[in-house]
Amino acid sequence: MKKEIIVNRALEETRVAVLEDGKLFDLFIERRETEKILNNIYKGVVQNIVPALSSAFIDLGFGKSAYLGVGDVISKNKTEGNNNVSSLLKTRQEIMVQVYKEPISTKGPKVTMDISLPGRLLVYMPYSDNIGISRNVDDKKESDRLKSIAVKLKKDISGGLIIRTEAEDATEEEIAREIRYLSRLWRSILDRFKTAKPQTLIHKDLGVVFQTVRDYFSDNVELMHIDSQKELKDVMDFMKIISPEFTDRIALYDGDRPIFDVYGIEDELKHLLANKIKLKSGGYLIIQEAESLCAIDVNSGKFTSKNSQEDTAALTNIEAAEEVARQLRLRNIGGIIVIDFIDMKKASNRQKVLEKLRSFTRGDKAKIKIWPITKLGLVEMTRERKRESLLALMGETCPLCNGVGQVVSRESIFTKVCCEIDKMNINIHRGIARIKLNPAMYEYFLERKGRLKELFNIDFEIKTDLDLEREDYKIILE
């Protein structure tokens, strides 16, 4: 699959898009105002221990306290099955922690003492002793080769290794070079921890552009197009260290049109906050995202198969499964996800849709677990989310509906106005009666002016007031 990485550097944000065969699959946004802390390492202070939750809260020196579960505690006193956090940590104790989940909504960050340092080819874990190979390395022969290299090289270091998918076909020297780099990085972090003040940052993870280079740049990336001369130079310098063989695939974009417009990305971004996504067949998805749960409804819409209703359902569901996998990555939707596929009577079709969903999500770097499809066509799945969703980053709660997604109907507002007029007992009023409304309500009330006169025997003047909110109104008697 042909991949392209497109980088747009603006005054207040940096955006990185990953295209697969010309189609947008991943989007990363880093803003100056909301600097990310994921994978940063801090010298924290134990602020509070909560035995009932088997956890502690750590002061990192900013904002909300970080949550540390007992399973993420590294301690000489820790033994298997020991969940007594009070015996492992003490209040005011200074510890090294790494953020593995950023703050989301009202929740603070989650941290671990089990540090991991990711490189392009592998992840180095100083406090582990295990060796793992990415599940996406499908070739058993290649997997065995990588494991034997890892076992050999691990003898020279303390700690564990996870070999990433990007290490496929890498030489032993390339892997060894990265192990040496990560080992030196770890020693420098330990040195900084010893001298740093409590509640301070001691290691900052790479920015969004360099993370994308590290995690996504491989043989199948044909081009990385960057619209900033400075960003280009920084990326080239970084690439010369980690993968010098790929430097000829990085180029400066200096066209007149914005780079995201040229690649059609800007147009697609306009639809990413919408809850309705159209499918090519004529069907569509409805995505309803909450803080920790997302419901996705699949509808056939105008699509009708030439054969049968069962075929229509199966074909729409397969197309929907591919788009669902793409939308989850693009929007960074995490937590519990429930997909309501169109009902299918045949078990073979239900299994086919499930297998397609698993296949389409295989390229997702987030951890995903999918349960079997039910007879009602529901699929339950979970997706790891380490950072806030695109909806949380780019959107905010509607001031009119307060996040409900709907506003009070015009009929309801008209009914409310009638009830209030009725309470005023103005049937005998002989002066001017005026109703002031938000412009969105004007035509609706004007059409019902006769109904108001019929109810109250008064000829109301209907006026607009730009200062009134949609649901507000004024009843004026003169």
Side-chain angles (χ1 to χ4, degrees):
M1 185 175 287
K2 170 187 169 185
K3 281 189 179 182
E4 295 169 291
I5 300 173
I6 314 302
V7 179
N8 167 230
R9 179 73 181 267
L11 291 175
E12 291 300 311
E13 70 177 4
T14 300
R15 301 183 297 177
V16 182
V18 180
L19 308 180
E20 296 182 2
D21 289 338
K23 196 171 184 179
L24 181 63
F25 266 84
D26 286 290
L27 176 70
F28 308 101
I29 300 175
E30 187 174 75
R31 289 179 172 163
R32 310 290 187 270
E33 291 266 333
T34 54
E35 192 174 11
K36 73 171 196 65
I37 62 171
L38 184 66
N39 291 329
N40 286 356
I41 299 174
Y42 294 85
K43 185 172 187 176
V45 176
V46 179
Q47 187 178 42
N48 189 23
I49 296 174
V50 188
L53 298 177
S54 295
S55 62
F57 289 91
I58 314 300
D59 186 357
L60 303 182
F62 65 89
K64 302 164 188 166
S65 298
Y67 176 88
L68 174 68
V70 68
D72 289 308
V73 175
I74 299 292
S75 172
K76 295 177 181 178
N77 301 324
K78 190 172 182 180
T79 57
E80 182 140 7
N82 180 11
N83 289 324
N84 185 1
V85 70
S86 299
S87 66
L88 304 176
L89 297 172
K90 302 299 178 186
T91 304
R92 304 306 305 165
Q93 181 180 345
E94 297 173 2
I95 59 175
M96 184 192 299
V97 293
Q98 183 176 35
V99 177
Y100 71 86
K101 190 170 184 179
E102 288 195 331
I104 296 176
S105 186
T106 58
K107 299 176 182 177
K110 289 186 177 182
V111 296
T112 179
M113 295 173 70
D114 193 6
I115 309 296
S116 61
L117 301 175
R120 192 177 74 84
L121 304 177
L122 56 92
V123 179
Y124 174 51
M125 300 171 295
Y127 294 116
S128 174
D129 198 40
N130 297 324
I131 293 176
I133 308 293
S134 168
R135 56 186 172 87
N136 291 326
V137 179
D138 298 324
D139 189 315
K140 188 176 187 309
K141 186 176 179 181
E142 177 64 7
S143 178
D144 291 341
R145 182 187 77 89
L146 291 172
K147 188 166 185 177
S148 65
I149 291 174
V151 170
K152 177 182 176 182
L153 296 176
K154 187 182 175 301
K155 295 176 182 177
D156 299 327
I157 61 167
S158 61
L161 301 171
I162 296 177
I163 305 298
R164 306 181 68 180
T165 311
E166 286 75 8
E168 284 188 287
D169 301 322
T171 65
E172 181 176 328
E173 175 52 35
E174 287 173 329
I175 296 173
R177 184 169 63 235
E178 186 156 286
I179 289 175
R180 288 195 295 270
Y181 163 71
L182 293 175
S183 297
R184 288 197 301 270
L185 176 61
W186 173 238
R187 288 194 293 272
S188 69
I189 290 172
L190 286 175
D191 290 340
R192 284 198 293 273
F193 177 78
K194 293 174 185 175
T195 58
K197 295 179 180 179
Q199 302 155 312
T200 57
L201 173 70
I202 58 174
H203 172 70
K204 183 175 176 58
D205 195 31
L206 298 172
V208 65
V209 178
F210 298 106
Q211 277 188 44
T212 308
V213 171
R214 181 190 69 195
D215 298 341
Y216 286 83
F217 217 115
S218 56
D219 282 333
N220 59 357
V221 173
E222 294 190 355
L223 174 68
M224 184 174 192
H225 226 169
I226 305 174
D227 67 356
S228 163
Q229 184 72 56
K230 181 183 182 304
E231 199 73 52
L232 176 76
K233 182 182 181 304
D234 292 342
V235 170
M236 289 291 279
D237 291 343
F238 182 64
M239 188 64 87
K240 286 174 184 175
I241 297 172
I242 64 167
S243 296
E245 69 275 17
F246 292 143
T247 53
D248 61 342
R249 304 186 190 186
I250 305 170
L252 176 69
Y253 172 78
D254 57 359
D256 294 331
R257 292 175 61 201
I259 190 170
F260 268 33
D261 285 346
V262 172
Y263 283 90
I265 300 169
E266 207 67 65
D267 287 337
E268 187 153 3
L269 294 186
K270 295 175 183 176
H271 304 294
L272 280 181
L273 294 184
N275 64 356
K276 184 175 181 178
I277 296 93
K278 294 179 181 178
L279 303 175
K280 288 182 179 179
S281 65
Y284 59 91
L285 308 176
I286 298 293
I287 300 179
Q288 298 288 347
E289 186 182 348
E291 187 173 321
S292 58
L293 173 70
C294 177
I296 302 177
D297 186 30
V298 181
N299 297 274
S300 59
K302 299 177 181 178
F303 175 61
T304 304
S305 170
K306 295 179 181 179
N307 297 324
S308 65
Q309 186 176 349
E310 178 76 9
D311 288 341
T312 298
L315 291 171
T316 304
N317 284 339
I318 289 172
E319 185 185 11
E322 181 175 11
E323 188 60 28
V324 164
R326 190 174 81 99
Q327 291 293 329
L328 292 179
R329 286 170 61 177
L330 273 178
R331 298 173 182 234
N332 193 34
I333 295 173
I336 301 169
I337 300 158
V338 179
I339 309 169
D340 184 6
F341 285 106
I342 302 169
D343 290 345
M344 296 170 291
K345 295 179 181 178
K346 294 182 180 179
S348 58
N349 281 337
R350 293 197 294 270
Q351 186 60 30
K352 192 174 185 180
V353 170
L354 185 67
E355 289 172 359
K356 287 291 184 182
L357 180 62
R358 285 176 172 154
S359 172
F360 293 136
T361 56
R362 199 162 289 139
D364 197 328
K365 292 188 180 293
K367 293 178 183 177
I368 288 178
K369 187 171 183 180
I370 302 173
W371 279 265
I373 192 168
T374 69
K375 290 182 179 180
L376 294 177
L378 296 176
V379 168
E380 297 172 353
M381 62 181 288
T382 57
R383 182 179 183 274
E384 175 190 37
R385 181 172 67 198
K386 294 184 177 181
R387 53 191 171 89
E388 63 182 348
S389 70
L390 192 69
L391 179 64
L393 177 67
M394 297 180 65
E396 58 184 37
T397 303
C398 169
L400 294 179
C401 71
N402 291 316
V404 174
Q406 291 184 316
V407 292
V408 177
S409 69
R410 293 176 298 172
E411 182 182 9
S412 297
I413 295 172
F414 181 80
T415 302
K416 187 178 180 182
V417 169
C418 289
C419 289
E420 188 162 333
I421 293 174
D422 187 47
K423 290 177 183 177
M424 295 169 70
N425 294 317
I426 63 172
N427 303 68
I428 59 172
H429 180 71
R430 293 295 176 261
I432 298 173
R434 188 177 293 118
I435 301 175
K436 287 190 174 183
L437 303 153
N438 177 277
M441 298 292 107
Y442 176 73
E443 291 292 339
Y444 190 87
F445 272 73
L446 198 62
E447 291 171 0
R448 286 153 183 77
K449 188 176 177 181
R451 177 59 178 162
L452 288 169
K453 186 172 183 179
E454 179 185 334
L455 289 171
F456 304 108
N457 196 30
I458 293 176
D459 194 6
F460 284 90
E461 290 183 8
I462 310 299
K463 300 289 184 180
T464 61
D465 187 337
L466 294 174
D467 293 330
L468 292 174
E469 297 293 339
R470 185 181 182 278
E471 298 172 19
D472 293 338
Y473 53 86
K474 291 180 181 178
I475 302 170
I476 302 170
L477 302 178
E478 295 179 356

